[in-house]
Amino acid sequence: MGIPKVSLAFILLAVMFGQRIQGSQQPACNLNDLTALKGFIKCLESDIGGWNWNSLNCCSWTGITCDNSSVLNERVVGLELGNKRLSGTICESLVGLEQLRILNLSHNSLDGEIPTKLFRFQNLEVLDLSNNYFVGSLPTIIHLPSVKYFDLSKNYFSSILTSEICKTSSNIQYLDLANNLFGETSTYLENCTSLQYVYLNGNGLSGTFPENLFRLQHLRILHLQENRFSGPLNYGIGNISNLVELDISSNGFDGSLPDVFGRLRKLESFSAGSNILSGLLPISLVNSPSILMIDLHNNSLDGPSLRSLDLARNKFTGGIPFHFKNLQALQFLSLSNTSINNISTALEILQDCKNLTILVLGLNFYHEQMPSNVNLQFRSLKALIIPFCYLRGSLPMWLRGCKMLQFLDLSWNSLGGSIPFWVGDFRYLIYLDLSNNSFSGEIPESLTGLDSLVNDTVQLKELSAGFPMEKSIEQGGPRLIYNNIWGLPATIDLSFNKLTGPIWISFGNLKKLHVLSLKGNKLSGTIPDSVSGMTNLEVLDLSCNKLSGEIPNSLVHLSFLSKFNVSYNELYGNIPSGGQFMTFPYSSFEGNEALCHGIIRPCQTKLIPPIVSPGKGMKIVDWNFGIGLTVGFGLTVAFCFKSGWVLCKG
Ligand SMILES: *[C@@H]1O[C@H](CO)[C@@H](O)[C@H](O)[C@H]1NC(C)=O
Ligand SMILES: *[C@@H]1O[C@H](CO)[C@@H](O)[C@H](O)[C@H]1NC(C)=O
Ligand SMILES: *[C@@H]1O[C@H](CO)[C@@H](O)[C@H](O)[C@H]1NC(C)=O
Ligand SMILES: *[C@@H]1O[C@H](CO)[C@@H](O)[C@H](O)[C@H]1NC(C)=O
Ligand SMILES: *[C@@H]1O[C@H](CO)[C@@H](O)[C@H](O)[C@H]1NC(C)=O
Ligand SMILES: *[C@@H]1O[C@H](CO)[C@@H](O)[C@H](O)[C@H]1NC(C)=O
Ligand SMILES: *[C@@H]1O[C@H](CO)[C@@H](O)[C@H](O)[C@H]1NC(C)=O
Ligand SMILES: *[C@@H]1O[C@H](CO)[C@@H](O)[C@H](O)[C@H]1NC(C)=O
Ligand SMILES: *[C@@H]1O[C@H](CO)[C@@H](O)[C@H](O)[C@H]1NC(C)=O
Ligand SMILES: *[C@@H]1O[C@H](CO)[C@@H](O)[C@H](O)[C@H]1NC(C)=O
Ligand SMILES: *[C@@H]1O[C@H](CO)[C@@H](O)[C@H](O)[C@H]1NC(C)=O
């Protein structure tokens, strides 16, 4: 903006006479302020772009805000010159900006000591001198009665931090002294009752956990990391009841973690890595409903004593902490439903826990790829439980090395390809749940030779301590709590996949199997007579496939069979009578249009096997029935197919 020369001359004249310009068209800022700014710039070694000394209206200069409540008495209230490449020192003359409310000189290259008087602004609310090269100590008395935001972080302030900051500045809400050279502390903060944010990290502070912080009822964020604090953690931490974030990592705190997390009801993030903490995780931390992030890496909490760690239903973000590698004695680990991701990294870390026996990781890693790294090794693993993750890929080769595996649950993923033959090599496998994936091809015949389901002499070595877990799928929604998995019945569940081919005759070898579900596949061929060899079978679900032929009569000998389902196949002929078959409801057989069934579908002397595929079922209803029956049956079939389709495809 060009200023008319006449007017400029007038202004200069006026300034020379030290008078305020009254009634001028060209406003000027307060003369005290102008003088203060002149003094300020003198000590700088750099110019400030946008400061035009020809204009006396400093209010229009870059970074300056004036209070224009009164046109005639404009005072500088804001000096915001952050990130302006300023170098040099700060002169005491700046104190002349008596009405200053905001002083921001952050992110520059200013150095030297700060004049003590600068800590005496009556109205200053925001002081941000962070990211400079300031040195020296803070004055013992800081008199900033209005200050709310106080940031001296990332400088070289040193010496003992003894300032009684809140004696006169009790309104401070934000105090950031991080990354300086403050040594020994006796920070008197107990009267800073308004404090919400305290950053003291990255200094050389020593002594025990500063107890004067326990009284700060509004404190939300407390960062004490990277100092030299030591000693045990005090139960008084539980008094800081509004804490949301607590970071005490990289200090020398020792002893066990106090069981105070039940009182920290808002705590979301707790970092205490790289201390000398020992003992077990307090139960209140593990059970905290609010906690989202726990970082305890590099402590002695991972001492050889930790055998069982159940962190399920906590919320961790990111990956498994690297220090899990050190949990050498760990036998049982559950991290299910903890929002962790990156299953590749997780397994790579956990394979170092050589004694790991039960690993529960379900409800995490959503839609990630199942790692196929052949070098993964879990030699002690007896139970691997990773359901409800929608993992992509196929059954990984590394699994083949888990020779001790007894229990494998990879249900509700998106794994595809064929089920490899080596699944039949697991000598101890008694529980296999691959349901609700996309496996295709035939069921490997090797599965019918699973040693522990065939051979009565295979002795399973159970863990002495059972872990309480129970799995259920309620109303389509998964729930993952296994109830002592070793008590679950011997199971093969391949339901809801895309498997084709026959039900092998050799299935009959699985004498010790209790539950067989092949529901919801595309299996074809007949139900072999030998199925009756599975003498311990309690549940047999073959529904929703393309099985044809008759139901073998020998199945009546399965005396433990309590649940049987062959609905929605292409079966025909008589339903066996006798044995448990007297107890199965109609819905066990529905959706097989040529299967006769009591009054609903009385048996004919000679039944013609269906020629047409079930989708067109209604059309084959013909001469075998009376007219009335035809209509009735047609409706039944139509209804069944409709509902069956819904039920079978999930
Ligand atoms: C100055 O006045 C204008 C409008 O009159 C207002 O928008 C602005 O916020 C005021 N600035 C200060 C610092 O008071
Ligand atoms: C100070 O200025 C810097 C750089 O412009 C900015 O990033 C920072 O947020 C400001 N500080 C405050 C408290 O507003
Ligand atoms: C805190 O306030 C109390 C009461 O006003 C006072 O006696 C005490 O000296 C203050 N402590 C500090 C460190 O300022
Ligand atoms: C914690 O608060 C309780 C009561 O609220 C009080 O009795 C106790 O002294 C406090 N502890 C510390 C260490 O400040
Ligand atoms: C582990 O913590 C110790 C201090 O307890 C520290 O010296 C060391 O550097 C830390 N190591 C890692 C890998 O963080
Ligand atoms: C791992 O298990 C073996 C066999 O039970 C045991 O001898 C060993 O001490 C365990 N390792 C650790 C670190 O506890
Ligand atoms: C898992 O972590 C590794 C190593 O940090 C990284 O290379 C990889 O991209 C991550 N994978 C996923 C799926 O995030
Ligand atoms: C059954 O198991 C025993 C002992 O583990 C073994 O010696 C035998 O060869 C196995 N028999 C068959 C048929 O696999
Ligand atoms: C997973 O945890 C969340 C809380 O973090 C909970 O709301 C949800 O019900 C849990 N899901 C299962 C399946 O347990
Ligand atoms: C058999 O399976 C069908 C299809 O999923 C279902 O509608 C029916 O209720 C089941 N019957 C029994 C007895 O399980
Ligand atoms: C299979 O998993 C999907 C999610 O991938 C779920 O929506 C569906 O209900 C599941 N089906 C059955 C039958 O469990």
Side-chain angles (χ1 to χ4, degrees), residues 82-83 104 106-107 126 128 149:
N83 209 357
N104 186 349
S106 70
H107 294 87
V126 174
D128 187 351
Y149 187 103

Side-chain angles (χ1 to χ4, degrees), residues 445 448-451 453-455 504-513 530-531 533-535:
E445 198 170 355
T448 65
L450 278 171
D451 246 0
L453 294 175
V454 172
N455 189 343
W504 303 108
I505 293 174
S506 47
F507 261 104
N509 297 340
L510 299 171
K511 288 186 209 53
K512 294 171 75 180
L513 194 63
S530 63
V531 162
M534 296 188 271
T535 45

Side-chain angles (χ1 to χ4, degrees), residues 146-311:
S146 306
V147 78
K148 295 193 175 104
Y149 187 103
F150 189 97
D151 187 353
L152 302 185
S153 66
K154 296 193 180 155
N155 279 290
Y156 294 89
F157 289 111
S158 60
S159 91
I160 304 170
L161 182 57
T162 53
S163 315
E164 296 181 21
I165 286 176
C166 293
K167 202 155 199 170
T168 55
S169 315
S170 59
N171 293 319
I172 297 189
Q173 294 172 7
Y174 184 104
L175 176 66
D176 191 347
L177 302 177
N179 298 304
N180 278 288
L181 302 172
F182 291 115
E184 229 176 286
T185 180
S186 25
T187 3
Y188 298 116
L189 295 177
E190 80 247 37
N191 288 346
C192 298
T193 46
S194 303
L195 269 176
Q196 295 181 29
Y197 307 88
V198 172
Y199 302 89
L200 299 176
N201 50 293
N203 282 290
L205 302 175
S206 55
T208 56
F209 194 103
E211 298 196 6
N212 53 63
L213 297 172
F214 297 154
R215 289 178 47 186
L216 303 183
Q217 287 302 306
H218 295 108
L219 200 55
R220 292 162 50 80
I221 296 184
L222 178 57
H223 282 204
L224 299 178
Q225 72 270 25
E226 291 161 31
N227 277 295
R228 295 198 205 109
F229 288 115
S230 58
L233 291 168
N234 192 304
Y235 276 82
I237 292 174
N239 277 19
I240 318 175
S241 55
N242 280 304
L243 267 186
V244 174
E245 202 176 305
L246 175 60
D247 192 340
I248 57 166
S249 56
S250 297
N251 278 290
F253 290 117
D254 58 23
S256 57
L257 282 172
D259 200 357
V260 293
F261 296 88
R263 287 156 70 201
L264 302 175
R265 299 222 176 101
K266 296 183 180 164
L267 193 66
E268 292 178 0
S269 168
F270 177 56
S271 303
S274 293
N275 279 289
I276 319 165
L277 300 167
S278 55
L280 290 177
L281 293 181
I283 205 77
S284 62
L285 177 59
V286 172
N287 289 338
S288 163
S290 58
I291 206 108
L292 301 176
M293 204 283 298
I294 303 176
D295 179 358
L296 296 170
H297 80 276
N298 191 23
N299 275 290
S300 305
L301 288 164
D302 46 12
S305 58
L306 194 58
R307 287 177 57 195
S308 163
L309 186 56
D310 187 349
L311 297 173

Side-chain angles (χ1 to χ4, degrees), residues 28-48:
C29 58
N30 177 279
L31 201 55
N32 288 345
D33 291 346
L34 197 62
T35 310
L37 291 170
K38 262 189 191 153
F40 168 65
I41 201 102
K42 247 188 215 151
C43 292
L44 297 184
E45 289 159 6
S46 51
D47 286 332
I48 302 174

Side-chain angles (χ1 to χ4, degrees), residues 65-69 77:
T65 317
C66 291
D67 179 358
N68 55 9
S69 56
V77 294

Side-chain angles (χ1 to χ4, degrees), residues 12 44 94 99 106 111 181 241 287 328 393 479 482 564 579 628:
L12 283 171
L44 297 184
L94 199 60
Q99 299 300 318
S106 70
D111 55 29
L181 302 172
S241 55
N287 289 338
Q328 288 299 314
R479 238 168 67 85
Y482 286 82
F564 178 75

